[in-house]
Amino acid sequence: MDSRREFLKKAMLLSGATGLRASFPASIQKALAIDPAPDSGYLDAEHVVILMQENRSFDHCFGSLNGVRGFNDPRAIELPDKNRVWLQSNAAGETYAPFHFDIRNSKVTWMSCLPHGRHDQVDAFNKGRHDNWLNSKRSSNKEWARLPLTMGYYTRQDIPFYYALADAFTICDQHFSSAMTSTWPNRLYMWGGTIRSVEEGEFRDLVRNDIPYEQTRLRTFPELLEENNVSWKVYQNDICTGGGFKGDERAWLTNFVCNLLEFLPQYNVKFSKRYIQGLQKLAETLPAQISDLETKTNAMDAADPQLGKNRKALIKKKEVLEQTGNELIKWSRENYEKLSQREKNLFEKAFTTNAGDPDYHSLTTLQYEDSGVERKVEVPKGDILHQFRKDVDSGQLPTVSWLVPPQNFSDHPVSPWYGTWITSEILDILTKNPEVWKKTIFILTYDENDGYFDHIPPFVAPDPLDPATGKCSDGIDTNVEYIRREKELKQGVPPKEARTGSIGLGFRVPLIVASPWTRGGYVNSQVFDHTSSLQFLEKFLSHKTGKELKETNISQWRRTVCGDLTSIFRPYDGGRMASLPFIKKDPHIEEVYNAQFKSIPSDFVPLSRQEINQINSDPFSSSLMPQQEGGLRPSCAIPYQLYAEGKLSDDGKKFGLTMRAANDLFGKQSAGAPFKVHFPGKTDHLSYAVAAGDSLTDNWPVQIFENNMYHVRVYGPNGFFREFMGGTDDPRIIVYCEYQQQKGLIKRFTGNILLNLTNLDPVRRHVVEIRDNAYKNKSVTRTLQASGLHNSTSVVVLDLGKSFGWYDLSIKVAEAGSFVRRYAGRVETGKESYSDPAMS
């Protein structure tokens, strides 16, 4: 453990009170210098440590990081008003682009959070239109309500440690929160894979931060671990049940009510020592209070207006005293001893605190001088990672650990951003003994996005009662993923807040996995959510125990669209890591504490029509658009083999679309996939979930499109995109975009695109042009002869070696200007590649 002086130096480094240079990348360098056993892989690990932080969207934190799908995303959605997704408008008609939050020179980190409840999250999403962020995410502070704070983002200069962490290990840029709502439901997904509770024989979807205390019936993953003799703990400085903290103590010393196991009756949190002490104090003090109040009340005149209030207060105090007595009996040590060993284990492991540190309930005042001004900052006197540190140092770290920090170390915008320290300190602890780090996987994630904008609309479940909202493969029931307003009203949700809609997925949030098998500054672009961590633990622990561990709470829809994290890991080949792009001598982390005395953020302007037009036509030419860091990033191989093809029916009346998630390349490792279908100019946004090895087909009458001219866009994971345009007079040309296979008995892909162009017209020939939209390849022209005279099929192979398997091409026909087929994405080969060059 650090000395008191060293701890304060680290804590105040984040507050800016010392003027020291940032030393955190050194902890990352230490992790990188520790090599696992040669030829080992993630299944050889012995510890998984999970830290879920609070309330940051992906773009808000990492939209400017190089090589991720951030502000340079070349195929982001278009809003209904034809603007790019980054150009959000409010009810007053003002339009804003994302703007920089300067953590050093503004008070932004002291301006609290933005709305992030169920109703405003659903409203921002707006049925997939994704265009209502400014109206839904207004600050509750009247002074700041007109500011477009939802569009604010940070850069490497603001949060250098997190950027260094991403540069060192693996960041996931298609990781979504599980639920389109606030903290507690998303944390339930992390611990239990669902938010569906059985209460009095009925299902209740706990989609808000109003989880009934001790009434929620929901089985959790730690219980599965306990049943299978897998060691686990949830570490926190102290729990929240029982209260007893004053002033700043609660923000520094409790778990911020973020250990949701406190709410579940099977964990018996009220057997905790502090809760009992609180009851004992009530039992000691209430009788005297009641006696004094009775004396005063009895002496009052019958006409005294205070008499009625006193009598009500007496009744209440007596009720509390009676309840306290009952609680003291119920939660007595005698009754604790009656619990089964399993019940005791759940209690003790879920609420692992720092009670062994004599100072774990104390704060100390740090005084310092800032440019001649005396400052005082309250910080913890004890070690908030005391028990975790002790278990690591003594070789007692369990197989699975969750850490729940206090509010001020949680990264939640309701507090100034001190939270970087705890991530660094965890790495310091885990790397102190190289033998521990050689066998450890550390997962850093966030529960939800707060009120901060992210440009990628999440994949959501279609309405099971409305086929017009999309489809899923057979066996996928989305009833468990959908909530109806009528039921919410019945359960007491205010009419202004009740919403019909999919539970999730929610908006993108950061996910970084640090381990000896994730080094190298990679990006992983498979779709994940909080249940992905549970799916990973299933696979990891089934291998460890030799038994099948499966969390039955996770729905089939989530298992179809969300991966299990295993594509993040790479076997260690025994080589040394090359030098990584760390920040050399990080600039001073500006004074977080002192930033409260700075001005409010001002790096935003309402855009003129000319500026909007410029951004829409060429966003990189505008200084008003955020610019992502240049350069590529190594990219994980992911098990997607995705296709989407569309064509007009033979009678010209319908446009049909087929989406497929093939499994003949990756076999049992193949991933299913979600797809979103947008009709530009219309409000329809449809959702699909295709299981691995399956395909789905849907079709729509051409007459629903303006002037009978269909226009359909299809979005999938990792930049997968298809666009189909045309009308009833389409040329009779069939296009198939496939992936070129290597010759041999085993199916492998070369990384190139293979286009099959077929002319079905018996009389007319057609000249087809294939244009590259992003990677500077030359156009290719093919003449398709009439099918009645010559061979009407042409096969075109497009070499994607220069673009690392990435493609973005449009197919047009000279005589039919309205006919367009556009294909974009990356060819997956099972091998690592690089991030999309179009984003660099």
Side-chain angles (χ1 to χ4, degrees):
M1 175 180 170
D2 288 337
S3 68
R4 180 81 227 121
R5 180 181 179 84
E6 287 301 309
F7 175 82
L8 290 176
K9 279 173 64 178
K10 289 181 178 179
M12 296 318 299
L13 178 63
L14 286 165
S15 74
T18 62
L20 297 173
R21 289 191 177 275
S23 60
F24 293 128
S27 66
I28 298 174
Q29 292 283 15
K30 185 167 64 169
L32 292 171
I34 300 172
D35 296 324
D39 300 319
S40 67
Y42 75 93
L43 290 174
D44 296 301
E46 295 181 4
H47 311 287
V48 178
V49 178
I50 300 172
L51 171 64
M52 176 175 274
Q53 293 288 72
E54 287 273 310
N55 294 47
R56 302 285 178 177
S57 80
F58 188 88
D59 276 350
H60 171 71
C61 290
F62 291 111
S64 63
L65 178 69
N66 71 299
V68 300
R69 203 153 291 280
F71 295 130
N72 287 0
D73 190 345
R75 293 176 289 277
I77 70 161
E78 181 183 272
L79 299 177
D81 61 7
K82 303 297 184 181
N83 286 336
R84 292 179 179 262
V85 67
W86 293 283
L87 303 182
Q88 294 285 324
S89 300
N90 59 25
E94 298 168 325
T95 300
Y96 294 91
F99 67 97
H100 178 221
F101 272 172
D102 191 328
I103 201 170
R104 298 174 298 173
N105 297 310
S106 75
K107 66 187 299 178
V108 65
T109 192
W110 289 88
M111 292 174 66
S112 195
C113 55
L114 297 177
H116 50 279
R118 169 65 176 176
H119 60 288
D120 54 82
Q121 296 277 51
V122 171
D123 291 349
F125 179 66
N126 197 16
K127 298 182 178 179
R129 301 170 191 133
H130 214 61
D131 62 349
N132 198 30
W133 285 84
L134 292 177
N135 296 324
S136 303
K137 302 297 185 179
R138 292 161 55 94
S139 171
S140 59
N141 184 306
K142 293 182 179 180
E143 182 183 350
W144 305 329
R146 289 293 303 274
L147 306 182
L149 296 176
T150 181
M151 307 301 290
Y153 68 90
Y154 291 100
T155 67
R156 182 181 296 271
Q157 287 67 41
D158 301 298
I159 46 175
F161 175 76
Y162 285 136
Y163 274 64
L165 195 68
D167 286 345
F169 296 104
T170 299
I171 187 169
C172 302
D173 67 355
Q174 295 279 275
H175 175 244
F176 297 83
S177 56
S178 288
M180 197 176 295
T181 183
S182 49
T183 289
W184 289 357
N186 279 291
R187 287 182 178 262
L188 283 181
Y189 271 109
M190 175 184 68
W191 270 306
T194 185
I195 57 171
R196 177 154 286 189
S197 170
V198 180
E199 299 174 16
E200 298 180 354
E202 291 190 2
F203 288 122
R204 180 182 178 94
D205 294 307
L206 304 172
V207 76
R208 290 175 173 79
N209 280 10
D210 59 355
I211 297 174
Y213 200 80
E214 293 187 309
Q215 299 175 31
T216 300
R217 300 296 185 268
L218 188 153
R219 196 178 69 84
T220 59
F221 197 79
E223 293 168 79
L224 182 64
L225 299 181
E226 192 64 32
E227 291 163 8
N228 288 277
N229 296 315
V230 176
S231 59
W232 64 278
K233 285 184 180 179
V234 181
Y235 294 94
Q236 57 253 287
N237 187 67
D238 204 352
I239 60 175
C240 282
T241 300
F245 292 103
K246 300 177 181 178
D248 289 341
E249 292 176 347
R250 186 176 181 86
W252 283 113
L253 302 177
T254 72
N255 63 20
F256 197 22
V257 202
C258 282
N259 180 351
L260 269 294
L261 304 184
E262 289 191 39
F263 289 82
L264 306 182
Q266 64 266 39
Y267 286 92
N268 290 298
V269 69
K270 290 185 177 179
F271 280 118
S272 65
K273 182 178 179 180
R274 190 156 52 81
Y275 182 71
I276 300 301
Q277 289 174 340
L279 291 175
Q280 292 171 339
K281 186 174 181 180
L282 279 175
E284 293 171 1
T285 58
L286 277 174
Q289 294 177 17
I290 291 172
S291 177
D292 289 345
L293 190 57
E294 283 179 335
T295 301
K296 292 179 181 179
T297 303
N298 292 335
M300 284 183 174
D301 186 273
D304 192 327
Q306 187 63 33
L307 181 62
K309 295 180 180 179
N310 279 15
R311 287 174 175 172
K312 289 181 180 179
L314 269 173
I315 293 173
K316 181 64 176 177
K317 286 182 179 292
K318 289 178 179 179
E319 288 176 350
V320 172
L321 181 60
E322 181 181 5
Q323 182 181 359
T324 298
N326 294 334
E327 289 275 286
L328 280 169
I329 295 172
K330 181 178 180 180
W331 303 108
S332 66
R333 189 67 190 178
E334 181 182 4
N335 280 338
Y336 177 78
E337 294 301 333
K338 294 178 183 179
L339 298 178
S340 67
Q341 189 59 50
R342 175 185 177 276
E343 291 172 319
K344 291 178 181 178
N345 288 347
L346 290 179
F347 168 78
E348 292 170 3
K349 296 177 183 180
F351 311 122
T352 301
T353 71
N354 293 328
D357 182 344
D359 293 319
Y360 86 117
H361 276 181
S362 300
L363 297 180
T364 187
T365 300
L366 181 66
Q367 297 181 344
Y368 66 95
E369 185 177 294
D370 169 42
S371 301
V373 178
E374 292 292 329
R375 305 285 192 205
K376 293 182 180 181
V377 184
E378 296 292 312
V379 296
K381 187 176 182 181
D383 175 13
I384 64 165
L385 292 169
H386 169 82
Q387 192 60 47
F388 177 73
R389 190 189 309 272
K390 182 178 179 181
D391 285 354
V392 173
D393 291 347
S394 63
Q396 300 300 310
L397 182 66
T399 303
V400 182
S401 305
W402 289 272
L403 295 107
V404 188
Q407 173 182 325
N408 280 355
F409 285 130
S410 73
D411 282 354
H412 195 300
V414 76
S415 302
W417 202 333
Y418 296 110
T420 311
W421 173 81
I422 201 168
T423 306
S424 174
E425 193 70 2
I426 290 167
L427 276 176
D428 276 342
I429 293 169
L430 292 172
T431 55
K432 181 179 179 180
N433 182 347
E435 294 306 312
V436 172
W437 182 247
K438 287 180 180 180
K439 300 174 182 179
T440 298
I441 295 167
F442 174 53
I443 298 174
L444 169 66
T445 185
Y446 288 74
D447 53 15
E448 39 99 351
N449 63 297
D450 199 86
Y452 292 110
F453 172 79
D454 186 81
H455 81 275
I456 295 184
F459 300 101
V460 298
D463 185 342
L465 301 184
D466 186 359
T469 62
K471 295 182 177 180
C472 297
S473 291
D474 290 342
I476 299 177
D477 181 7
T478 59
N479 275 292
V480 70
E481 296 290 347
Y482 221 81
I483 294 178
R484 310 226 165 261
R485 186 172 187 270
E486 294 77 13
K487 187 171 183 179
E488 291 209 308
L489 292 172
K490 184 179 178 181
Q491 293 176 343
V493 177
K496 289 184 178 181
E497 297 182 6
R499 297 290 185 274
T500 292
S502 175
I503 294 173
L505 302 174
F507 303 110
R508 284 194 308 168
V509 292
L511 172 66
I512 299 176
V513 180
S515 78
W517 307 282
T518 57
R519 301 189 304 189
Y522 280 68
V523 60
N524 184 290
S525 299
Q526 188 173 358
V527 173
F528 300 129
D529 82 327
H530 299 321
T531 70
S532 296
S533 294
L534 298 185
Q535 294 183 58
F536 167 72
L537 289 173
E538 289 175 343
K539 190 164 187 175
F540 173 73
L541 295 172
S542 295
H543 172 81
K544 288 291 180 187
T545 63
K547 298 181 289 186
E548 183 182 5
L549 274 70
K550 185 172 183 178
E551 180 48 76
T552 56
N553 285 340
I554 302 174
S555 73
Q556 193 56 43
W557 179 80
R558 288 182 188 269
R559 289 188 182 275
T560 297
V561 304
C562 300
D564 61 9
L565 301 189
T566 57
S567 64
I568 293 174
F569 299 93
R570 300 169 292 282
Y572 177 63
D573 61 7
R576 300 292 299 180
M577 293 297 297
S579 60
L580 296 170
F582 288 114
I583 305 167
K584 294 182 179 180
K585 293 187 177 179
D586 290 329
H588 297 171
I589 297 179
E590 282 291 337
E591 300 161 338
V592 174
Y593 181 76
N594 298 331
Q596 65 183 298
F597 307 109
K598 305 286 186 177
S599 60
I600 62 175
S602 59
D603 293 343
F604 56 87
V605 292
L607 303 176
S608 67
R609 173 46 57 184
Q610 182 180 0
E611 290 165 337
I612 292 171
N613 292 340
Q614 180 185 6
I615 292 172
N616 284 330
S617 61
D618 184 8
F620 304 113
S621 68
S622 174
S623 62
L624 298 173
M625 270 291 289
Q627 298 301 309
Q628 200 168 337
E629 298 173 342
L632 299 176
R633 182 172 290 266
S635 179
C636 298
I638 48 181
Y640 284 134
Q641 187 183 345
L642 308 182
Y643 304 88
E645 295 292 355
K647 65 177 182 178
L648 199 64
S649 61
D650 291 340
D651 61 9
K653 293 183 179 180
K654 291 185 178 181
F655 176 81
L657 176 68
T658 298
M659 294 154 283
R660 184 160 61 104
N663 63 352
D664 50 353
L665 175 62
F666 299 106
K668 293 182 179 180
Q669 304 303 317
S670 300
F675 294 93
K676 293 178 291 194
V677 176
H678 289 195
F679 299 158
K682 298 181 66 65
T683 59
D684 304 74
H685 298 263
L686 292 78
S687 299
Y688 298 83
V690 185
D694 196 18
S695 64
L696 288 176
T697 297
D698 211 343
N699 57 75
W700 305 272
V702 174
Q703 65 186 27
I704 71 169
F705 299 94
E706 186 176 358
N707 299 322
N708 291 335
M709 303 296 290
Y710 63 83
H711 189 181
V712 178
R713 289 174 177 159
V714 184
Y715 296 86
N718 195 24
F720 180 93
F721 177 74
R722 301 292 187 260
E723 186 170 28
F724 305 96
M725 299 174 64
T728 53
D729 59 349
D730 277 357
R732 297 183 62 188
I733 291 176
I734 303 298
V735 180
Y736 289 107
C737 179
E738 300 178 347
Y739 310 126
Q740 186 189 39
Q741 297 183 31
Q742 295 179 356
K743 295 180 180 179
L745 297 177
I746 301 176
K747 177 168 281 191
R748 292 190 178 92
F749 290 158
T750 65
N752 297 328
I753 284 289
L754 189 150
L755 292 175
N756 282 285
L757 311 172
T758 301
N759 183 11
L760 299 180
D761 195 311
V763 179
R764 300 179 61 186
R765 74 170 189 171
H766 291 288
V767 178
V768 177
E769 182 183 18
I770 305 167
R771 298 179 183 175
D772 185 288
N773 298 315
Y775 306 104
K776 301 180 180 179
N777 293 311
K778 294 182 179 180
S779 296
V780 176
T781 301
R782 289 290 186 271
T783 299
L784 303 180
Q785 301 297 333
S787 61
L789 300 176
H790 304 284
N791 185 349
S792 60
T793 297
S794 178
V795 178
V796 180
V797 177
L798 300 179
D799 188 339
L800 305 181
K802 293 181 180 179
S803 57
F804 311 109
W806 291 93
Y807 60 96
D808 186 345
L809 55 99
S810 294
I811 299 171
K812 299 183 178 182
V813 178
E815 309 85 27
S818 64
F819 181 90
V820 176
R821 299 290 185 264
R822 184 179 174 189
Y823 300 88
R826 187 177 79 176
V827 180
E828 295 296 339
T829 64
K831 298 179 180 179
E832 298 170 4
S833 182
Y834 288 91
S835 57
D836 190 345
M839 298 190 301
S840 67

